[in-house]
Amino acid sequence: MVDDCFAHPRLAAIYDPLDPDRSFLDPYLRMAEEFEAQRVLDVGCGTGVFALLLAGRGFEVVGVDPAQASIDVARTKPGSERVRWICGDATCLPPLQVDLATMTANVAQAITDPQTWQNTLRGAHEALRPGGHPIFETRDPARRAWEEWTRELLPRDRDPARRPRRELGSAD
């Protein structure tokens, strides 16, 4: 299932500027290098930030995402011709033999249906070469981290209530 904010062309187009800090991708990049991966499958690639980062470093990358609008945004970025983009999910992949299958950030936890999760893991596993590695993260819901989220923790430019107000007709 595609989240509306990633499937709508206008929302997909502004996703990257609204979430510019991608430092959470650093550990994934380090793992790809440590495992000496050459071919990577980026499941839930979204607008292609991680896939393009990998491709820019010489990895062969396949990015798959069910949101066509996000894939369309990814295809407009510099270096996008170095990535094989697939609109779909891990269950509709062509035969692959990748060294690494990743689901960065919230991708894994966005799959809430148990059967969909099982199918996603199966599809990613089938894309891996023997000895390949699946890498994903998820949060522990028992920790209840959302109870600690407050406006004070948001950067000023991400909190609509604390953004400077613009006058009508002011330039963006």
Side-chain angles (χ1 to χ4, degrees):
M1 176 181 274
V2 179
D3 188 318
D4 288 341
C5 73
F6 303 111
H8 192 284
R10 288 177 60 193
L11 294 175
I14 63 170
Y15 178 76
D16 290 338
L18 291 176
D19 192 16
D21 179 13
R22 300 302 175 97
S23 59
F24 67 88
L25 295 173
D26 294 343
Y28 288 96
L29 183 57
R30 282 194 303 275
M31 283 184 271
E33 292 167 345
E34 288 173 17
F35 287 129
E36 298 179 355
Q38 294 178 22
R39 295 173 308 276
V40 179
L41 169 64
D42 186 12
V43 177
C45 67
T47 59
V49 173
F50 186 55
L52 291 165
L53 175 66
L54 289 168
R57 300 231 179 157
F59 293 88
E60 183 182 321
V61 184
V62 174
V64 61
D65 198 279
Q68 184 65 55
S70 292
I71 293 289
D72 291 344
V73 168
R75 285 183 170 137
T76 67
K77 295 180 177 181
S80 64
E81 70 283 352
R82 293 184 296 217
V83 177
R84 180 178 178 187
W85 304 105
I86 299 173
C87 185
D89 60 32
T91 66
C92 70
L93 297 170
L96 297 172
Q97 288 287 292
V98 299
D99 304 307
L100 223 59
T102 64
M103 286 184 265
T104 63
N106 297 323
V107 172
Q109 68 192 36
I111 304 169
T112 58
D113 175 67
Q115 189 60 53
T116 303
W117 177 241
Q118 183 104 16
N119 294 341
T120 299
L121 289 178
R122 183 177 296 111
H125 181 263
E126 289 171 0
L128 288 169
R129 67 163 172 77
H133 302 277
I135 299 176
F136 64 91
E137 66 184 277
T138 189
R139 303 330 193 286
D140 179 4
R143 187 174 169 281
R144 302 174 63 89
W146 62 87
E147 292 176 348
E148 299 170 16
W149 297 347
T150 65
R151 280 204 156 130
E152 292 74 33
L153 295 176
L154 282 175
R156 181 170 293 281
D157 65 337
R158 297 281 306 273
D159 181 356
R162 296 191 302 161
R163 284 188 192 142
R165 300 201 185 272
R166 295 183 192 179
E167 297 299 321
L168 285 177
S170 67
D172 287 330

